Amino acid sequence: MIINLNGKLVPQELAVVSVFDHGLLYGDGVFEGIRFYSNNIFKLEEHVERLFDSAKVIMLNIAVSKQQMIEETVKTVKANGLADGYIRLVVTRGVGDLGLDPKKCKESFYFIIAGKITLYPEENYLNGLSITTVAVRRSTAEALDPKIKSLNYLNNIMAKIEAGNHGSPEAIMINQQGYVSEATGDNVFIIKKGKLITPDLSAGVLDGITRDTVMVLAREAGIKVEEKTMTRYDLYTADECFLTGTAAEVIPVVKIDARVIGDGKPGVITKKLQNLFHGVTKTIGVKVV
Ligand code: PXG
C-alpha cells in the first residue's frame, strides 16, 4: 500500500508519524472518511470542505489549499491502483512538545490512506441491524461540537464499547437534553407514516454527507423529509429505521433496545433509498483519471 505522507508518496513501511505529533498525543486534529466507487471519489469536494471547516473551528491552519488537498487525494488513490475503496484523510496539528500548548506546533501535518473498509457483514445489509441506545451521552456543542470531525472520538468509542457490552454492534447516542443524536459513526433516520425523519443538526450531530445525499434523494423521489428533535419513543414506534455514513452507507435497523421496528425486516422505503444511494455513488464526485 502506498501512503501519502504530507504530500510524498511512500510505501506503508515508511509511513511513520512522530511520537511528538499532537494528533497522537492529544487527539488534536481533524479527519475525513471518503469512499470511491468505480474510479469516482464520492463527494470529494464536500468532504474536503468539511475537513477545512472542522480545522477552522479548532484553529488548525492546514498547510495546503483545498484544491491541493483534492489533488493529493486523487494522486493517492491513483498510486494504489484501486477502483473501489475507502480513503482516510487525516490532518494533525503537527509536531510539538510535551505540553498541550498548540502554539508549540509549528506546522500541521497530513496523511492520506487509500484502502478498503468493511464495517458490517453483508447479512446486516439484507436483514438489518439490532442495536441499542447507550448511557454515554453525546458531547455537547459547548464542549466538543459534534459538527467537528476531530481526531478525538473517545466519546463515540465509549458508546460503541457500551453497546458491545450489551451484545450490540452499534449504539444510538442520546444528547444531554435526552434527545436522539446519532450513532457512533453514522446518522440515524426513521420512517413514520411515509415521512423520512432525522434529528435536527442542533441535536449534536455530524452534518453527514451521506445524510444530506439521502435527504436530497428522498425529496427527489417525492418522499417528505423532516429534521426535528426525536426521542427514544420516536425510534421505538418507527415504521422503519436506518443509519447512514460513508463507511456503513445505508444500513437498515430492525431492532432497537429489544423493540422490533416495523415488521422486523428492512422497510420498503429504506430499500428504495439504499438503491437510490448506490445509483449516485459512481456519478457525483471527482473522477480518478
Ligand atoms: N456521525 C459521525 C459521528 C460520524 O463519524 C457520520 C455521522 C456520517 O457522516 P458521513 O459524512 O460519512 O455520511 C460519521 C462519519 C469508521 C468511519 O471508520 C466512520 C465515519 C466515516 C468513515 C469511517 O467507522 N463516520
Side-chain angles (χ1 to χ4, degrees):
M1 189 185 278
I2 304 292
I3 311 292
N4 187 325
L5 205 65
N6 228 20
K8 285 199 184 69
L9 293 176
V10 298
Q12 189 174 336
E13 309 76 60
L14 300 180
V16 291
V17 179
S18 166
V19 293
F20 294 101
D21 191 299
H22 276 214
L24 178 62
L25 289 175
Y26 300 108
D28 187 357
V30 292
F31 80 103
E32 281 296 321
I34 312 164
R35 268 193 194 262
F36 51 104
Y37 301 86
S38 302
N39 299 303
N40 178 61
I41 307 180
F42 183 64
K43 294 205 165 178
L44 175 59
E45 282 155 346
E46 288 83 345
H47 280 283
V48 169
E49 194 73 37
R50 186 171 67 185
L51 180 83
F52 276 72
D53 282 347
S54 293
K56 185 173 189 180
V57 179
I58 68 163
M59 295 192 77
L60 189 165
N61 186 26
I62 300 179
V64 296
S65 69
K66 285 181 198 171
Q67 191 50 39
Q68 276 172 300
M69 198 58 104
I70 288 169
E71 284 163 18
E72 290 297 330
T73 306
V74 171
K75 192 169 103 181
T76 313
V77 171
K78 235 164 136 172
N80 283 282
L82 297 169
D84 297 85
Y86 172 79
I87 301 157
R88 176 60 58 93
L89 176 39
V90 179
V91 184
T92 75
R93 207 176 295 273
V95 171
D97 64 11
L98 295 176
L100 60 82
D101 186 358
K103 290 198 288 293
K104 299 279 172 62
C105 303
K106 291 287 167 271
E107 193 164 78
S108 69
F109 182 84
Y110 74 88
F111 56 90
I112 309 170
I113 308 168
K116 294 276 182 189
I117 194 169
T118 310
L119 226 56
Y120 298 108
E122 189 56 29
E123 201 269 326
N124 289 146
Y125 288 89
L126 294 172
N127 300 320
L129 288 171
S130 171
I131 62 177
T132 53
T133 60
V134 291
V136 171
R137 290 295 188 257
R138 191 71 179 100
S139 70
T140 67
E142 294 75 23
L144 179 59
D145 194 325
K147 287 201 187 76
I148 304 166
K149 203 158 164 59
S150 84
L151 288 181
N152 198 321
Y153 255 54
L154 255 189
N155 179 214
N156 304 44
I157 289 167
M158 293 306 292
K160 189 107 176 166
I161 289 171
E162 189 182 334
N165 290 345
H166 295 115
S168 168
E170 184 52 281
I172 290 185
M173 302 178 77
I174 306 297
N175 69 18
Q176 307 282 328
Q177 287 76 41
Y179 296 119
V180 174
S181 62
E182 59 181 342
T184 64
D186 304 300
N187 293 108
V188 59
F189 284 88
I190 60 161
I191 310 284
K192 186 72 178 178
K193 295 192 184 0
K195 194 193 274 181
L196 182 66
I197 306 168
T198 193
D200 190 86
L201 291 181
S202 66
V205 303
L206 185 78
D207 189 357
I209 287 167
T210 320
R211 175 185 184 272
D212 184 63
T213 307
V214 163
M215 289 198 293
V216 168
L217 290 170
R219 286 195 183 103
E220 284 171 2
I223 299 164
K224 281 207 174 69
V225 180
E226 192 181 356
E227 292 168 80
K228 64 168 198 139
T229 49
M230 284 169 57
T231 63
R232 264 177 284 221
Y233 178 91
D234 298 311
L235 295 178
Y236 300 157
T237 58
D239 299 326
E240 302 181 25
C241 179
F242 62 87
L243 307 178
T244 64
T246 294
E249 302 174 303
V250 177
I251 187 154
V253 173
V254 293
K255 209 185 253 186
I256 306 172
D257 296 341
R259 276 77 161 183
V260 173
I261 307 305
D263 63 1
K265 296 196 192 84
V268 277
I269 296 178
T270 302
K271 284 196 268 192
K272 182 176 180 153
L273 291 170
Q274 263 182 324
N275 288 333
L276 288 172
F277 177 73
H278 284 298
V280 297
T281 52
K282 297 180 183 66
T283 55
I284 312 171
V286 173
K287 299 272 175 295
V288 183
V289 284

